[in-house]
Structure formats: C-alpha cells, structure tokens
Amino acid sequence: MPVTDDDAIRDVLGLDSVAVVGCSTTAGKAAHDIPAYLQRQGYEIHPVNPYADTVLGEPAVDSLADVDAAVDLVNVFRPSEEVAGIVKETLARHDATGDPEALWLQLGITDTEALADAEAAGLTTVQDRCMKVEHQRLLAD
C-alpha cells in the first residue's frame, strides 16, 4: 500500500535527488512549477522529458534510464494510464543500479496495482499527493 502517514511521507520528502518524469518546460503547469519549487528548496532535479533539451536549467533526458546521476526518488507527472510503464522502467533501473528508493505519483495520478509491484521490489510509494503541498505542510518553516 502506498504510504499515507506523515512520518513515512516525511521520510520520502527527506530524499534529495529527484527524477521528474514528465517535467515540463511550460511555466504555470504543475509539472514545471512543482519541480521548480522543489529545486528552490534544495532538491537535485533531473528532468525526464524527451521533447526538451533543458528544464529548470538542468539537462533533460529521454528516459529514466538516461539519468546519469544517482536517483533517490522518481516523481511522476504523467497520466495514470502511463504509470505501469513508468514503474517497469523504474524497476529496471532499480535492478541495474540499486536506485531509486521511492516512487511518488502526483495529485490525481494513481495505479495501485503497478505500485504494488514497486513495493514488492522494496520501493516506498506515494500516490495521489502533491509533493509541494506535502513539503509545505510537513517541512517548510
């Protein structure tokens, strides 16, 4: 089951390196503004967007497998129907590199069955929650 208690969410928010699948170049979109907020809070953002060269001043890559840096958390801004494929890609990376530790589906994005696969592989999961809102609620001064 995806975590829902504040302590577990706080633990996930404590992870530093975030691959953002679906990170947008368009200011005003949640997939741009939330990663920008996280970046301002000190998170290391790795945009995954096959249609962009850079997002938020960082090089964008085509897929999660193309992120060269270690990734603690995968934050997903894609439709629910794409989650199963993203989980497969996340698990392939996890098997190959040992990272990430967690998977976060943004507000309105759910796939309990796919997340069960991630949890079975040892990842912590969060779904249908906004990382910015949770950060502001639990960690912001």
Side-chain angles (χ1 to χ4, degrees), residues 74-120:
V74 174
N75 188 5
V76 178
F77 284 90
R78 299 298 303 149
S80 295
E81 54 270 13
E82 294 183 25
V83 169
I86 294 165
V87 168
K88 286 181 185 172
E89 188 177 0
T90 301
L91 294 179
R93 180 184 176 96
H94 184 72
D95 289 345
T97 66
D99 69 35
E101 295 176 40
L103 182 67
W104 188 300
L105 305 183
Q106 282 294 135
L107 192 63
I109 305 170
T110 61
D111 188 331
T112 303
E113 186 175 312
L115 290 189
D117 294 339
E119 291 160 1

Side-chain angles (χ1 to χ4, degrees), residues 34-87:
I34 293 167
Y37 167 84
L38 296 171
Q39 189 178 52
R40 289 191 305 271
Q41 299 307 310
Y43 289 89
E44 182 181 330
I45 300 297
H46 304 284
V48 178
N49 179 333
Y51 304 105
D53 293 325
T54 61
V55 183
L56 302 170
E58 300 294 334
V61 296
D62 291 348
S63 70
L64 189 56
D66 295 327
V67 177
D68 287 334
V71 172
D72 300 323
L73 170 66
V74 174
N75 188 5
V76 178
F77 284 90
R78 299 298 303 149
S80 295
E81 54 270 13
E82 294 183 25
V83 169
I86 294 165
V87 168

Side-chain angles (χ1 to χ4, degrees), residues 20-36 47-49 52 54-56 77-78:
V20 182
V21 178
C23 196
S24 177
T25 59
T26 307
K29 282 186 156 186
H32 176 87
D33 294 350
I34 293 167
V48 178
N49 179 333
T54 61
V55 183
L56 302 170
F77 284 90
R78 299 298 303 149

